[in-house]
Amino acid sequence: MRLTGRCLVASAVLAVAWSTGATGAAAAPAAGEVVDCLAVTADDPRPSTDLASTPLAAMGVDRARAWLQRSGREAGAGVTVAILSTGISRDAGLPLGDGGTSIVGPGPVVDPTGTVVAGLVAGAARSEDLPVGIAPGAELVDVRVLDRQVPTSEGEQGPSARALAEGLAHVRDRLPRVDVVVVPLQVEPDDRVRELMSDLVGSGVLVVAQGGDRPADAAVPTDRLSVLAEQRPGEDAGPLVTPASVEGVVAAGPVPEEARAPLSSTALDVVAPSEGAVSTSLVGGTCSVGEVRSAWSAAYVAGVLALLRGAHPEESPAQLVARLIGTADGRPDVRSPLTGAGQVRALAALTATPGQVADDLDAVFAADTALPPPAGAATAPVAAPDPLAAAREQAVWWGLLGGGVLLLALLLRPLVRRAG
């Protein structure tokens, strides 16, 4: 039985009852206990969950990492991922590198979004059978561009195009060796943001952005995005959601079956599941991702791209994106506004041969590739063979030959009469 986001949150509230011993240490959670990532605060003890992360198996990440291990490589090793979000908690124990910054000031990290995203990308495994992040060998760069998704006190900064643009400029100007950038937020359309995102793509950075959530969920109270608050016939969020709509940016969304009223968008490239995902909390324990957001999907897609970047350093960004999109479980040449090219498949993307995917980034994003669909994908019906085709072809040739003979006879008839 699958738990929805609301069920996970409710379970967390009802089930999490921490007790302390004489030393004040937190007791271990009961088997299968849900610890909601968004409910853990900096004042909590160090809670953890022992639940398995189900999306990793659904995307084939466990098998992809096993394939890498057999060749002596760690997933994401040597790859740097910049995360532009609410900041990454220093208590989370995540692999932070140099070069990070805070656009919104030096205050403590209060919103878990950035930490959860970082854990989904590169959280360390709890054990051999209980992984957390997709690419634990990657190094993270923390670029904090907002305080909270929903500011709750005076002075806190929510999502804004200005702060995001400053964060992107920091990445472009001071971190030339960043391999992957993930932007798990959305802002109103902005020319400066689009320009900077295009600069990063043009410089060879793999850029992922969330495909978008409804403003009621994502707390983006702007006039232009307010039209997305409710589902409408013929909806297309593509032109409205920035930076997912920028050309060359991989736009990632949730699996429609998991989300409540998912956006319909022509900008969507791929989807990734997040229901039942496990990440890292603000205080360093592992926790369950309850509320479905496209931010979590963007984190997972960035993790898969980090895995691909580390495994195929000789390939161009265009080839890596083509691996990701061309091996999804849908159709890269017939995009769905709810799923794009389909759900990402980490093992298929990792092991595909160059001949199986396009290496032209423009062709991939234009959705006009000639890629063969993966097994199980819908295809156009094949016409039944015509049993009379050969006979018809012979009849055509005999007709042409007969016509030629008749024409020759008509031309020669006057000559024959004069000769007689």
Side-chain angles (χ1 to χ4, degrees):
M1 177 176 170
R2 298 170 67 186
L3 291 174
T4 63
R6 293 187 183 86
C7 290
L8 286 170
V9 175
S11 298
V13 174
L14 294 174
V16 178
W18 302 105
S19 60
T20 57
T23 61
E33 186 170 18
V34 173
V35 178
D36 182 24
C37 291
L38 301 182
V40 177
T41 68
D43 298 328
D44 283 347
R46 191 181 173 90
S48 289
T49 182
D50 59 358
L51 295 172
S53 184
T54 54
L56 297 185
M59 292 183 289
V61 173
D62 50 350
R63 291 176 291 162
R65 290 175 57 173
W67 187 88
L68 286 172
Q69 288 173 357
R70 287 194 294 271
S71 60
R73 292 176 288 178
E74 183 182 11
V79 179
T80 301
V81 181
I83 298 175
L84 284 74
S85 186
T86 61
I88 302 173
S89 171
R90 297 310 187 261
D91 296 327
L94 291 162
L96 291 173
D98 296 330
T101 189
S102 176
I103 304 301
V104 294
V109 175
V110 293
D111 187 311
T113 301
T115 304
V116 173
V117 167
L120 295 174
V121 173
R126 295 161 287 176
S127 67
E128 184 176 348
D129 298 327
L130 290 174
V132 175
I134 288 181
E139 183 177 78
L140 304 175
V141 174
D142 178 18
V143 181
R144 183 175 165 189
V145 295
L146 72 160
D147 291 316
R148 290 187 191 267
Q149 293 288 334
V150 184
T152 58
S153 61
E154 186 176 353
E156 288 184 342
Q157 301 296 314
S160 75
R162 179 201 58 79
L164 176 57
E166 289 187 35
L168 292 169
H170 176 84
V171 173
R172 184 196 62 179
D173 298 340
R174 305 185 188 187
L175 302 171
R177 298 186 62 185
V178 168
D179 301 291
V180 182
V181 169
V182 57
V183 184
L185 59 93
Q186 65 197 49
V187 296
E188 66 278 6
D190 182 83
D191 290 341
R192 179 63 173 155
V193 170
R194 298 184 70 89
E195 177 187 343
L196 288 163
M197 294 289 277
S198 296
D199 287 348
L200 290 173
V201 172
S203 66
V205 178
L206 295 161
V207 185
V208 183
Q210 71 173 48
D213 298 312
R214 300 212 174 270
D217 298 332
V220 187
T222 64
D223 292 338
R224 297 194 67 178
L225 291 176
S226 63
V227 299
L228 302 177
E230 297 180 1
Q231 244 173 341
R232 289 181 170 86
E235 170 186 82
D236 182 11
L240 297 175
V241 178
T242 302
S245 59
V246 177
E247 184 178 358
V249 172
V250 179
V255 175
E257 293 79 9
E258 295 181 355
R260 179 173 65 85
L263 290 180
S264 178
S265 172
T266 53
L268 191 62
D269 291 303
V270 290
V271 295
S274 64
E275 193 173 72
V278 171
S279 188
T280 308
S281 73
L282 285 174
V283 294
T286 51
C287 52
S288 297
V289 178
E291 180 184 350
V292 174
R293 295 183 184 176
S294 59
W296 317 142
S297 299
Y300 269 151
V301 170
V304 172
L305 283 173
L307 183 151
L308 296 178
R309 175 78 286 170
H312 299 287
E314 76 288 352
E315 294 191 3
S316 68
Q319 290 172 316
L320 298 176
V321 171
R323 281 180 174 273
L324 178 85
I325 295 178
T327 58
D329 70 355
R331 287 286 298 274
D333 54 341
V334 183
R335 300 290 181 86
S336 162
L338 290 177
T339 61
Q343 180 176 300
V344 296
R345 301 191 299 173
L347 180 63
L350 178 67
T351 59
T353 62
Q356 290 177 300
V357 293
D359 59 3
D360 182 358
L361 185 61
D362 292 333
V364 169
F365 281 105
D368 59 359
T369 62
L371 299 175
T379 59
V382 178
D386 183 0
L388 299 178
R392 289 194 180 96
E393 184 177 357
Q394 291 180 10
V396 170
W397 282 108
W398 279 112
L400 291 173
L401 181 60
V405 171
L406 179 60
L407 178 62
L408 181 61
L410 292 173
L411 291 173
L412 294 177
R413 184 176 179 184
L415 298 175
V416 173
R417 285 180 177 176
R418 285 197 292 270

